Amino acid sequence: MSEFIIQVKNLTKIYGGDGVETRALDGVSFTIQKGEFVAIIGPSGSGKSTLMQLIGLLDRPTSGEYFFEGENSLNFSENELANIRNKKIGFVFQTFNLLPRTTVFENVELPLLYDRHLSGKEKNKEKIIKALEEVMMSHRIGHHPNQLSGGEKQRVAIARALVNNPDIIFADEPTGNLDSKAGVQVMKILQKLNHQGHTIILVTHENYTAQHAQRVIEMKDGKIISDKKTENQAKARDGIRLK
Ligand code: ADP
Ligand code: MG
């Protein structure tokens, strides 16, 4: 039984402007099954972030097809896209993107405020605390981002990505601004979330970081040049529980 959460066919993205065209993605095709932990690796400029923007439904391709949970992404209205990004996808970025003048609690609350007719305050509070507990940050609920270390900021950002219990978490260079110890901690959290059933798609330029995934897709000049299972794959096959 295979269930594709992501299926892309011949995806191309050309950035224009000032007469100079950049072919950031050049005919990329692959599928990702529900529950996989995939790393997308490649040197700077190889198209990793562009690919993540497209499969994260933040941008549209120049050509090619993208099926999200089996549905052609062209069929989604802007409203539906916004809803999917809020409910089914969690994003984690290299620069954390936390709001500086709000608390840890309020940062994690943000995705819940998007949906105004959602459950009451108490229910939201429970979700926020649970998400912060998953990343071992519930003791810092009233802190502001500038009172946290880089690793702690990224853990809060992961809690924010997690608060709506998304099917997929996209993480673009999540350890890029962290020291190695904090980086390993972030990778271990992503592995734990994967074991809980979340599909994880990680972008990195570090081979070491990529080895935390079960599968590594390697990019160069906008193309996929390899797609291989890591040693974690066998372990995952035996232990994984799908959501
Ligand atoms: P990576 O994340 O692997 O470093 P990117 O996807 O960010 O690569 O970039 C791929 C190529 O597309 C690069 O040559 C980059 O300069 C170009 N590019 C990325 N975003 C834009 C944009 N918004 N406008 C124009 N060119 C872009
Ligand atoms: Mg990038």
Short mmCIF file of all heavy atoms in Angstrom, two decimals, residues 83-132:
data_model
loop_
_atom_site.label_atom_id
_atom_site.label_comp_id
_atom_site.label_asym_id
_atom_site.label_seq_id
_atom_site.Cartn_x
_atom_site.Cartn_y
_atom_site.Cartn_z
N ASN A 83 -5.48 27.83 3.63
CA ASN A 83 -5.99 26.90 4.64
C ASN A 83 -5.09 25.67 4.80
O ASN A 83 -4.80 25.24 5.92
CB ASN A 83 -7.40 26.49 4.23
CG ASN A 83 -8.26 26.22 5.43
OD1 ASN A 83 -8.02 26.78 6.51
ND2 ASN A 83 -9.24 25.36 5.28
N ILE A 84 -4.65 25.13 3.66
CA ILE A 84 -3.75 23.97 3.71
C ILE A 84 -2.43 24.34 4.39
O ILE A 84 -1.93 23.60 5.23
CB ILE A 84 -3.48 23.43 2.28
CG1 ILE A 84 -4.76 22.83 1.70
CG2 ILE A 84 -2.37 22.38 2.29
CD1 ILE A 84 -4.66 22.52 0.22
N ARG A 85 -1.90 25.52 4.00
CA ARG A 85 -0.63 25.95 4.61
C ARG A 85 -0.77 26.11 6.11
O ARG A 85 0.15 25.85 6.88
CB ARG A 85 -0.15 27.28 3.99
CG ARG A 85 0.43 27.13 2.61
CD ARG A 85 1.16 28.41 2.20
NE ARG A 85 0.27 29.54 2.20
CZ ARG A 85 -0.34 30.03 1.10
NH1 ARG A 85 -0.12 29.50 -0.07
NH2 ARG A 85 -1.14 31.07 1.19
N ASN A 86 -1.93 26.54 6.55
CA ASN A 86 -2.14 26.74 7.99
C ASN A 86 -2.39 25.44 8.75
O ASN A 86 -1.89 25.25 9.85
CB ASN A 86 -3.31 27.71 8.20
CG ASN A 86 -3.57 27.97 9.67
OD1 ASN A 86 -4.56 27.51 10.21
ND2 ASN A 86 -2.68 28.69 10.32
N LYS A 87 -3.16 24.53 8.14
CA LYS A 87 -3.62 23.33 8.86
C LYS A 87 -2.77 22.10 8.63
O LYS A 87 -2.58 21.28 9.52
CB LYS A 87 -5.05 22.98 8.43
CG LYS A 87 -6.08 23.98 8.82
CD LYS A 87 -6.50 23.75 10.26
CE LYS A 87 -7.07 25.01 10.87
NZ LYS A 87 -7.99 25.72 10.01
N LYS A 88 -2.31 21.93 7.41
CA LYS A 88 -1.67 20.65 7.05
C LYS A 88 -0.17 20.73 6.96
O LYS A 88 0.50 19.70 6.83
CB LYS A 88 -2.23 20.17 5.70
CG LYS A 88 -3.71 19.93 5.75
CD LYS A 88 -4.18 19.07 4.62
CE LYS A 88 -5.58 18.57 4.89
NZ LYS A 88 -5.98 17.57 3.91
N ILE A 89 0.36 21.95 6.98
CA ILE A 89 1.81 22.13 6.79
C ILE A 89 2.36 22.99 7.91
O ILE A 89 1.76 23.99 8.28
CB ILE A 89 2.10 22.81 5.43
CG1 ILE A 89 1.55 21.96 4.27
CG2 ILE A 89 3.58 23.05 5.25
CD1 ILE A 89 1.72 22.59 2.89
N GLY A 90 3.51 22.58 8.44
CA GLY A 90 4.23 23.42 9.39
C GLY A 90 5.57 23.81 8.77
O GLY A 90 6.23 22.97 8.16
N PHE A 91 5.95 25.08 8.91
CA PHE A 91 7.20 25.55 8.33
C PHE A 91 8.21 25.92 9.40
O PHE A 91 7.86 26.56 10.40
CB PHE A 91 6.95 26.79 7.46
CG PHE A 91 6.16 26.53 6.22
CD1 PHE A 91 4.79 26.77 6.20
CD2 PHE A 91 6.77 26.04 5.08
CE1 PHE A 91 4.04 26.53 5.06
CE2 PHE A 91 6.03 25.80 3.93
CZ PHE A 91 4.66 26.05 3.92
N VAL A 92 9.45 25.53 9.17
CA VAL A 92 10.55 25.92 10.07
C VAL A 92 11.66 26.47 9.19
O VAL A 92 12.03 25.84 8.19
CB VAL A 92 11.07 24.70 10.87
CG1 VAL A 92 12.23 25.10 11.77
CG2 VAL A 92 9.95 24.07 11.68
N PHE A 93 12.18 27.67 9.54
CA PHE A 93 13.19 28.32 8.71
C PHE A 93 14.51 28.50 9.46
O PHE A 93 14.55 28.50 10.68
CB PHE A 93 12.67 29.69 8.25
CG PHE A 93 11.43 29.62 7.42
CD1 PHE A 93 10.18 29.85 7.97
CD2 PHE A 93 11.49 29.27 6.07
CE1 PHE A 93 9.02 29.76 7.21
CE2 PHE A 93 10.34 29.18 5.30
CZ PHE A 93 9.10 29.43 5.87
N GLN A 94 15.56 28.70 8.68
CA GLN A 94 16.90 28.88 9.26
C GLN A 94 16.93 30.05 10.25
O GLN A 94 17.59 29.98 11.28
CB GLN A 94 17.89 29.16 8.12
CG GLN A 94 19.31 29.43 8.59
CD GLN A 94 20.28 29.49 7.42
OE1 GLN A 94 19.91 29.34 6.25
NE2 GLN A 94 21.54 29.70 7.73
N THR A 95 16.19 31.11 9.94
CA THR A 95 16.23 32.34 10.75
C THR A 95 15.11 32.40 11.79
O THR A 95 14.82 33.46 12.32
CB THR A 95 16.15 33.57 9.83
OG1 THR A 95 15.03 33.35 8.93
CG2 THR A 95 17.40 33.72 8.99
N PHE A 96 14.48 31.29 12.07
CA PHE A 96 13.47 31.13 13.12
C PHE A 96 12.16 31.88 12.82
O PHE A 96 11.08 31.36 13.03
CB PHE A 96 13.98 31.54 14.51
CG PHE A 96 15.43 31.19 14.77
CD1 PHE A 96 16.34 32.15 15.18
CD2 PHE A 96 15.89 29.88 14.58
CE1 PHE A 96 17.68 31.83 15.41
CE2 PHE A 96 17.21 29.54 14.81
CZ PHE A 96 18.11 30.52 15.22
N ASN A 97 12.28 33.16 12.38
CA ASN A 97 11.11 33.98 12.06
C ASN A 97 10.12 34.11 13.22
O ASN A 97 8.90 34.06 13.01
CB ASN A 97 10.37 33.45 10.81
CG ASN A 97 11.25 33.50 9.57
OD1 ASN A 97 12.43 33.82 9.66
ND2 ASN A 97 10.68 33.19 8.43
N LEU A 98 10.63 34.27 14.44
CA LEU A 98 9.74 34.54 15.57
C LEU A 98 9.46 36.04 15.64
O LEU A 98 10.30 36.85 15.24
CB LEU A 98 10.40 34.09 16.88
CG LEU A 98 10.74 32.60 16.99
CD1 LEU A 98 11.46 32.31 18.30
CD2 LEU A 98 9.48 31.74 16.88
N LEU A 99 8.28 36.41 16.14
CA LEU A 99 7.98 37.83 16.33
C LEU A 99 8.70 38.30 17.59
O LEU A 99 8.51 37.74 18.66
CB LEU A 99 6.48 38.04 16.47
CG LEU A 99 5.64 37.69 15.24
CD1 LEU A 99 4.16 38.00 15.50
CD2 LEU A 99 6.12 38.47 14.02
N PRO A 100 9.53 39.36 17.47
CA PRO A 100 10.40 39.74 18.59
C PRO A 100 9.67 40.29 19.82
O PRO A 100 10.09 40.06 20.93
CB PRO A 100 11.32 40.80 17.99
CG PRO A 100 10.63 41.29 16.76
CD PRO A 100 9.77 40.17 16.27
N ARG A 101 8.59 41.03 19.60
CA ARG A 101 7.97 41.70 20.74
C ARG A 101 6.82 40.92 21.38
O ARG A 101 6.02 41.47 22.11
CB ARG A 101 7.51 43.11 20.35
CG ARG A 101 8.62 44.13 20.55
CD ARG A 101 8.22 45.50 20.06
NE ARG A 101 8.32 45.58 18.60
CZ ARG A 101 9.47 45.80 17.96
NH1 ARG A 101 10.59 46.00 18.61
NH2 ARG A 101 9.49 45.84 16.64
N THR A 102 6.73 39.64 21.06
CA THR A 102 5.70 38.81 21.68
C THR A 102 6.36 37.64 22.41
O THR A 102 7.51 37.30 22.14
CB THR A 102 4.70 38.27 20.64
OG1 THR A 102 5.44 37.56 19.67
CG2 THR A 102 3.94 39.37 19.96
N THR A 103 5.63 37.06 23.32
CA THR A 103 6.19 35.98 24.14
C THR A 103 6.26 34.67 23.35
O THR A 103 5.69 34.54 22.26
CB THR A 103 5.30 35.72 25.37
OG1 THR A 103 4.02 35.30 24.90
CG2 THR A 103 5.17 36.95 26.25
N VAL A 104 6.95 33.72 23.96
CA VAL A 104 7.00 32.36 23.41
C VAL A 104 5.58 31.83 23.21
O VAL A 104 5.23 31.31 22.14
CB VAL A 104 7.80 31.45 24.38
CG1 VAL A 104 7.54 29.98 24.11
CG2 VAL A 104 9.30 31.76 24.27
N PHE A 105 4.75 31.99 24.23
CA PHE A 105 3.36 31.51 24.16
C PHE A 105 2.64 32.12 22.95
O PHE A 105 2.01 31.42 22.15
CB PHE A 105 2.63 31.87 25.46
CG PHE A 105 1.22 31.36 25.53
CD1 PHE A 105 0.94 30.12 26.08
CD2 PHE A 105 0.16 32.11 25.05
CE1 PHE A 105 -0.36 29.63 26.15
CE2 PHE A 105 -1.15 31.64 25.10
CZ PHE A 105 -1.40 30.40 25.67
N GLU A 106 2.76 33.46 22.81
CA GLU A 106 2.04 34.15 21.73
C GLU A 106 2.58 33.77 20.35
O GLU A 106 1.83 33.71 19.38
CB GLU A 106 2.12 35.66 21.93
CG GLU A 106 1.28 36.13 23.09
CD GLU A 106 1.66 37.51 23.60
OE1 GLU A 106 2.81 37.96 23.35
OE2 GLU A 106 0.83 38.13 24.27
N ASN A 107 3.88 33.53 20.26
CA ASN A 107 4.45 33.08 18.98
C ASN A 107 3.86 31.75 18.56
O ASN A 107 3.53 31.55 17.40
CB ASN A 107 5.97 33.00 19.08
CG ASN A 107 6.66 34.28 18.65
OD1 ASN A 107 6.79 34.55 17.46
ND2 ASN A 107 7.08 35.08 19.62
N VAL A 108 3.74 30.84 19.52
CA VAL A 108 3.21 29.51 19.18
C VAL A 108 1.70 29.57 18.93
O VAL A 108 1.15 28.77 18.17
CB VAL A 108 3.56 28.50 20.30
CG1 VAL A 108 2.98 27.13 20.01
CG2 VAL A 108 5.08 28.40 20.46
N GLU A 109 1.05 30.57 19.52
CA GLU A 109 -0.40 30.73 19.37
C GLU A 109 -0.80 31.20 17.97
O GLU A 109 -1.91 30.93 17.50
CB GLU A 109 -0.89 31.75 20.41
CG GLU A 109 -2.38 31.97 20.46
CD GLU A 109 -2.76 33.05 21.45
OE1 GLU A 109 -1.96 34.01 21.66
OE2 GLU A 109 -3.85 32.95 22.05
N LEU A 110 0.14 31.90 17.28
CA LEU A 110 -0.20 32.57 16.01
C LEU A 110 -0.99 31.72 15.01
O LEU A 110 -2.03 32.16 14.51
CB LEU A 110 1.07 33.08 15.33
CG LEU A 110 1.52 34.48 15.76
CD1 LEU A 110 2.80 34.84 15.01
CD2 LEU A 110 0.43 35.51 15.49
N PRO A 111 -0.53 30.49 14.70
CA PRO A 111 -1.28 29.70 13.70
C PRO A 111 -2.70 29.38 14.15
O PRO A 111 -3.57 29.14 13.31
CB PRO A 111 -0.46 28.41 13.58
CG PRO A 111 0.91 28.78 14.06
CD PRO A 111 0.70 29.80 15.12
N LEU A 112 -2.96 29.41 15.45
CA LEU A 112 -4.30 29.11 15.95
C LEU A 112 -5.24 30.31 15.77
O LEU A 112 -6.46 30.15 15.65
CB LEU A 112 -4.26 28.73 17.43
CG LEU A 112 -3.48 27.46 17.78
CD1 LEU A 112 -3.35 27.32 19.29
CD2 LEU A 112 -4.16 26.23 17.20
N LEU A 113 -4.68 31.51 15.74
CA LEU A 113 -5.49 32.73 15.62
C LEU A 113 -6.02 32.90 14.20
O LEU A 113 -6.98 33.62 13.96
CB LEU A 113 -4.67 33.96 15.99
CG LEU A 113 -4.11 33.96 17.41
CD1 LEU A 113 -3.28 35.20 17.66
CD2 LEU A 113 -5.25 33.86 18.44
N TYR A 114 -5.35 32.23 13.26
CA TYR A 114 -5.74 32.31 11.86
C TYR A 114 -7.19 31.90 11.68
O TYR A 114 -7.93 32.47 10.89
CB TYR A 114 -4.81 31.39 11.06
CG TYR A 114 -5.20 31.19 9.63
CD1 TYR A 114 -4.83 32.11 8.66
CD2 TYR A 114 -5.95 30.08 9.26
CE1 TYR A 114 -5.19 31.92 7.34
CE2 TYR A 114 -6.33 29.89 7.94
CZ TYR A 114 -5.95 30.81 6.99
OH TYR A 114 -6.31 30.63 5.70
N ASP A 115 -7.62 30.91 12.45
CA ASP A 115 -8.97 30.38 12.32
C ASP A 115 -9.85 30.94 13.44
O ASP A 115 -9.79 30.50 14.56
CB ASP A 115 -8.90 28.85 12.43
CG ASP A 115 -10.14 28.20 11.85
OD1 ASP A 115 -11.13 28.92 11.65
OD2 ASP A 115 -10.09 26.99 11.61
N ARG A 116 -10.66 31.94 13.10
CA ARG A 116 -11.35 32.69 14.14
C ARG A 116 -12.48 31.92 14.82
O ARG A 116 -12.77 32.13 15.97
CB ARG A 116 -11.89 34.01 13.58
CG ARG A 116 -10.76 34.84 13.04
CD ARG A 116 -11.06 36.31 12.98
NE ARG A 116 -9.86 37.00 12.51
CZ ARG A 116 -8.89 37.39 13.30
NH1 ARG A 116 -8.96 37.21 14.60
NH2 ARG A 116 -7.83 37.98 12.81
N HIS A 117 -13.14 31.04 14.06
CA HIS A 117 -14.24 30.33 14.70
C HIS A 117 -13.81 29.01 15.31
O HIS A 117 -14.58 28.10 15.50
CB HIS A 117 -15.42 30.13 13.73
CG HIS A 117 -15.01 29.75 12.35
ND1 HIS A 117 -14.93 30.66 11.34
CD2 HIS A 117 -14.63 28.57 11.84
CE1 HIS A 117 -14.53 30.06 10.24
NE2 HIS A 117 -14.33 28.79 10.52
N LEU A 118 -12.53 28.92 15.60
CA LEU A 118 -12.02 27.69 16.22
C LEU A 118 -12.30 27.71 17.73
O LEU A 118 -12.58 28.75 18.31
CB LEU A 118 -10.52 27.59 15.97
CG LEU A 118 -9.92 26.20 16.08
CD1 LEU A 118 -10.14 25.44 14.77
CD2 LEU A 118 -8.42 26.28 16.33
N SER A 119 -12.21 26.51 18.30
CA SER A 119 -12.37 26.26 19.73
C SER A 119 -11.97 27.40 20.67
O SER A 119 -11.32 28.36 20.28
CB SER A 119 -11.50 25.06 20.07
OG SER A 119 -10.19 25.33 19.63
N GLY A 120 -12.31 27.25 21.91
CA GLY A 120 -12.09 28.31 22.89
C GLY A 120 -10.65 28.47 23.32
O GLY A 120 -9.76 27.76 22.89
N LYS A 121 -10.46 29.45 24.17
CA LYS A 121 -9.12 29.82 24.64
C LYS A 121 -8.43 28.69 25.39
O LYS A 121 -7.24 28.46 25.21
CB LYS A 121 -9.24 31.03 25.56
CG LYS A 121 -8.82 32.31 24.90
CD LYS A 121 -8.70 33.41 25.92
CE LYS A 121 -7.81 34.50 25.38
NZ LYS A 121 -7.98 35.79 26.00
N GLU A 122 -9.20 28.00 26.25
CA GLU A 122 -8.61 26.94 27.07
C GLU A 122 -8.04 25.82 26.21
O GLU A 122 -6.95 25.33 26.45
CB GLU A 122 -9.66 26.36 28.03
CG GLU A 122 -9.82 27.15 29.31
CD GLU A 122 -8.49 27.46 30.00
OE1 GLU A 122 -7.75 26.50 30.28
OE2 GLU A 122 -8.20 28.65 30.23
N LYS A 123 -8.82 25.45 25.18
CA LYS A 123 -8.39 24.40 24.27
C LYS A 123 -7.10 24.81 23.56
O LYS A 123 -6.17 24.02 23.42
CB LYS A 123 -9.51 24.16 23.24
CG LYS A 123 -9.34 22.93 22.41
CD LYS A 123 -10.37 21.86 22.78
CE LYS A 123 -10.13 20.57 22.02
NZ LYS A 123 -10.80 20.58 20.70
N ASN A 124 -7.05 26.07 23.12
CA ASN A 124 -5.84 26.57 22.46
C ASN A 124 -4.65 26.53 23.41
O ASN A 124 -3.55 26.16 23.02
CB ASN A 124 -6.05 28.00 21.96
CG ASN A 124 -6.81 28.04 20.65
OD1 ASN A 124 -7.09 26.99 20.07
ND2 ASN A 124 -7.15 29.22 20.21
N LYS A 125 -4.90 26.92 24.65
CA LYS A 125 -3.82 26.95 25.63
C LYS A 125 -3.23 25.55 25.79
O LYS A 125 -2.00 25.37 25.83
CB LYS A 125 -4.36 27.47 26.96
CG LYS A 125 -3.28 27.81 27.94
CD LYS A 125 -3.85 28.45 29.21
CE LYS A 125 -2.75 28.51 30.26
NZ LYS A 125 -3.24 28.88 31.57
N GLU A 126 -4.11 24.56 25.85
CA GLU A 126 -3.66 23.16 25.95
C GLU A 126 -2.76 22.78 24.78
O GLU A 126 -1.72 22.16 24.94
CB GLU A 126 -4.88 22.22 25.90
CG GLU A 126 -5.34 21.68 27.23
CD GLU A 126 -6.63 20.92 27.05
OE1 GLU A 126 -6.70 20.04 26.16
OE2 GLU A 126 -7.59 21.23 27.80
N LYS A 127 -3.21 23.16 23.57
CA LYS A 127 -2.44 22.82 22.36
C LYS A 127 -1.07 23.48 22.38
O LYS A 127 -0.07 22.88 21.98
CB LYS A 127 -3.18 23.31 21.11
CG LYS A 127 -4.40 22.51 20.75
CD LYS A 127 -4.93 23.00 19.41
CE LYS A 127 -6.26 22.38 19.08
NZ LYS A 127 -6.84 22.95 17.86
N ILE A 128 -1.04 24.74 22.82
CA ILE A 128 0.22 25.49 22.83
C ILE A 128 1.19 24.85 23.82
O ILE A 128 2.37 24.64 23.52
CB ILE A 128 -0.05 26.97 23.19
CG1 ILE A 128 -0.88 27.63 22.08
CG2 ILE A 128 1.25 27.73 23.42
CD1 ILE A 128 -1.58 28.91 22.49
N ILE A 129 0.68 24.51 24.99
CA ILE A 129 1.56 23.91 26.00
C ILE A 129 2.05 22.54 25.56
O ILE A 129 3.22 22.20 25.72
CB ILE A 129 0.85 23.89 27.37
CG1 ILE A 129 0.71 25.34 27.84
CG2 ILE A 129 1.62 23.05 28.38
CD1 ILE A 129 0.02 25.57 29.12
N LYS A 130 1.15 21.78 24.95
CA LYS A 130 1.55 20.45 24.46
C LYS A 130 2.66 20.59 23.40
O LYS A 130 3.66 19.85 23.44
CB LYS A 130 0.33 19.74 23.87
CG LYS A 130 0.61 18.33 23.43
CD LYS A 130 -0.68 17.54 23.20
CE LYS A 130 -0.39 16.17 22.64
NZ LYS A 130 -0.08 16.20 21.20
N ALA A 131 2.49 21.53 22.48
CA ALA A 131 3.52 21.73 21.43
C ALA A 131 4.84 22.16 22.06
O ALA A 131 5.91 21.68 21.66
CB ALA A 131 3.04 22.77 20.42
N LEU A 132 4.77 23.02 23.07
CA LEU A 132 6.01 23.47 23.73
C LEU A 132 6.65 22.34 24.53
O LEU A 132 7.87 22.25 24.63
CB LEU A 132 5.73 24.69 24.62
CG LEU A 132 5.58 26.00 23.83
CD1 LEU A 132 4.98 27.10 24.69
CD2 LEU A 132 6.92 26.45 23.26
#
